[in-house]
Amino acid sequence: MPDKHYTPSSAYLDQLASLTAEPSAQAEFEMLSKNDALSLSQAHAEIGHASENPTDPAQPSVARRLELADQHDVPDELLEEDHAQRLRLRSVPRWTRTPIAPRPWWKKRGPLERLWRTLCPWGRKERAEQDAADSEQPPLHHHRWQRVGLMRRVVLLFLVVVQSLMAVAYMTTVLPNKGGTVLEVGVLILFGLLFIWVSSGFWTALMGFLQLVIGRDRYSISASTAEDTPIADDARTALVMPICNEDVNRVFAGLKATYLSLKENGRLDLFDIYICSDSFDPDTCVQENQAWMNLCREVEGFGRIFYRRRRRRVKRKSGNIDDWCRRFGNQYRYMLILDADSVMTGSCLTRLVQLMEANPDAGLIQSAPVSAGGTNLYARLQQFATRVYGPLFTAGLHFWQLGESHYWGHNAIIRVAPFMKHCILAPLPGKGSLSGPILSHDFVEAALMRRAGYGVWIAYDLPGSYEEMPPNLVDELQRDRRWCHGNLMNFRLFWVKGMHPVHRAVFLTGVMSYLSAPLWFLFLVLSTALMATNLFTDPVYFSKPGQLIAEWRLNWYPWRAVALFSATLTLLFLPKIMSLIWLCSRGAKEYGGSLRLILSVVLESLVSMLLAPVRMLFHTRFVISILFGLKAKWTSPDRESSETSWGEAIRRHGVQTLLGCAWIALVLWMDPRFLLWFSPIVGALVVSIPVSVLTSKVSLGMALRRWGFLRIPEETHPGPELLNTWKFTREARAQRNVPNFVHAVVDPLVNSVNCALGTARHTTSEAIEIRRQGLVRKALVSGPHRLGAADRLALLDDPIMLSRLHYSVWADGDRYPAWRAVYLNMQARQLS
């Protein structure tokens, strides 16, 4: 609506009339706008059919404006008044606080106290009692699977150690000095560590392959109860989704699809949904408020779908879950953690509750989420790999771990009471980059749950759990930077008392998943140095005084190197071959047919070989920066497209390209024959820029999909949950009237929603009043373009300031025209 320079009340009432869909309200507001003597404060009182409020003139109309915004869909029981008689829309149920607190990982004791506890009999007794109290580990229930799991792990350890020793011994025969120099000893040690990593992955995939081929698993958690087992009415479960500045459209589309699936499944009465937001971008916060209102209205979810945004954001995701447990945990038996991109079927959710009910000793059951929905070539490659090879590794992990398994932080059901008692995470003591709040909370929570005597299982054969992959290499590396930091921090807990050996191994494998990169890089550097040493150093044939027979040690055996290289590649690629055998034997029609499946595996393997050296250098950089406490903030630029631009690729991979070119030049200068061995690695570094750009292309990904390559069953025959998620996401992104912070300030209806969802935490005081007046004045003078994000968030967090700013923007529009001008321009663009 163009600004007609009417009185403030007339302009406001005309704007409100244009926004509402109720004819009676439109007629009422149009009639009021004709009264030129009506002030804006009186207009708000007339709109709300209430008396004027001199301290907050817009407050009397909030209830009426909210009624027009929600179209009478909000139940009356969710509307209440706070201590100052301000309208408040209750977006969460009434909480009953449960005191929970993290326990310190270890206690510092002085030397005299440690001596007393060591030498004195009473001190030893006191120490034993204190240690037992610290761990609070109840007696474990001994099951047959525990003995079976122990025997299996002994076998795994034997296989990995023997295979690695054989490989190192064979590697010794390849080296010219048979491991007789310091440089060659370093090469052998690094080779042995890396081969252990490769060997453990091979045996895990092999046992997973055998498990899938056999098809029967007596120790599977999914086989512990029938699918038609009734669930008790008091087995209430909360679906908890922590989010932070996520894609609002995708988040609420997935929640809507999950909710509708639960509703269709018939057990909606057992579940509630909590969206726990840590978002701090003001525009995103406004969008979340509106999206929650829309979702509840569309599915009639008021009273079952809840939303809360924290003001005090501590401990990131784990702190958000702790906050939920403290406020609402005692109202539920189970909680199921969802990620921002999670989608789950109603049958899968119900089945997880059945399994928890049938296994009282189970504290956590992790589903095996399937990646789906990717459009970029990179995302499609990753989701194809996880769908084709993932079942082998997941089944293999279950075979070795059984009830002492992994937890990946989402799409898993957790028993709330033991989690609240044993799994609240204390920060790691000390200073530096490896101290402070734990970042990768999932591995630690699983270890603490097992230490408390509860099983941690993977339901690897349970369908209906979905997630999404990063759209490009840059976004994946951004995620890896955070995961790398978290896994390095977790390794400090390796020796914490009471941890199960399997979870100590999980901490170790978590570190090795990133530490293997600098080890591999160092191995390549030492191999290059070894080559240079043997090329430019004159051989010594008589190393001892009086020696008559020459020592002919400097002999290379290329065929042995080829044999060892081939054996290592076999261990790396055999799991992919086993996956092909398993899928082709069951029918590969859903993967595009056997031929397309094989060609897709070849394509994925080639791209993986090109990306592996790139990840190696990035992970090496991450590890070094974290260990040395270097500030390395890794952020992706804001962009509407998920594709990587050439400029961004040059910034991210330019140093790698130069390093690859220099490496090639060095090897050519020393001995061109050795370039054959280094070309797969250094060549991948040279082409890292175009590979990063091309793999991010949506057009390439969708073209391969049309041709039948990189297909997965979830694309060939997607379930209704995935179809609904994609549909709802497209519909949400197609909408033009997306609210932001400017709408929350200027738009009468959007402002009412955000004011009603806010909480005025403080009573009246002079200091708070001065602060509020100062920030509102600053916002008016600065305008929407110069007002900082922190000030915007502070205004959004306080409904009194937001309401006063809303009133002042309309009352003093001639003095401060920027807010309304920006708002009207947004409206014009949305209507065009």
Side-chain angles (χ1 to χ4, degrees), residues 105-106 427-436 486-496 507 511:
W105 296 109
W106 45 79
L428 291 176
K431 298 180 180 179
S433 59
L434 299 184
S435 303
N487 279 279
L488 291 178
M489 291 179 66
N490 289 351
F491 191 65
R492 291 187 60 189
L493 305 176
F494 186 83
W495 296 111
V496 168
F507 292 152
V511 170

Side-chain angles (χ1 to χ4, degrees), residues 747-758:
D747 190 291
L749 301 187
V750 180
N751 175 263
S752 68
V753 172
N754 286 273
C755 286
L757 285 174

Side-chain angles (χ1 to χ4, degrees), residues 60-61 79 238 252 264 281 289 352 358 406 449 470 516 531 555 557 611 665 696 722 730:
S61 66
L79 299 175
F252 283 85
E264 184 179 355
D281 177 74
N289 290 340
L352 286 171
H406 277 69
M449 185 68 78
S516 59
M531 178 183 66
N555 292 325
Y557 299 97
L611 295 176
S696 72
L722 290 177
R730 288 194 303 269

Side-chain angles (χ1 to χ4, degrees), residues 146-172:
Q146 293 176 261
R147 298 191 298 273
V148 172
L150 178 60
M151 290 186 292
R152 289 180 177 181
R153 292 162 208 148
V154 171
V155 173
L156 173 63
L157 182 62
F158 174 80
L159 292 172
V160 171
V161 170
V162 170
Q163 190 177 47
S164 301
L165 288 176
M166 292 174 60
V168 171
Y170 197 86
M171 180 68 173
T172 305

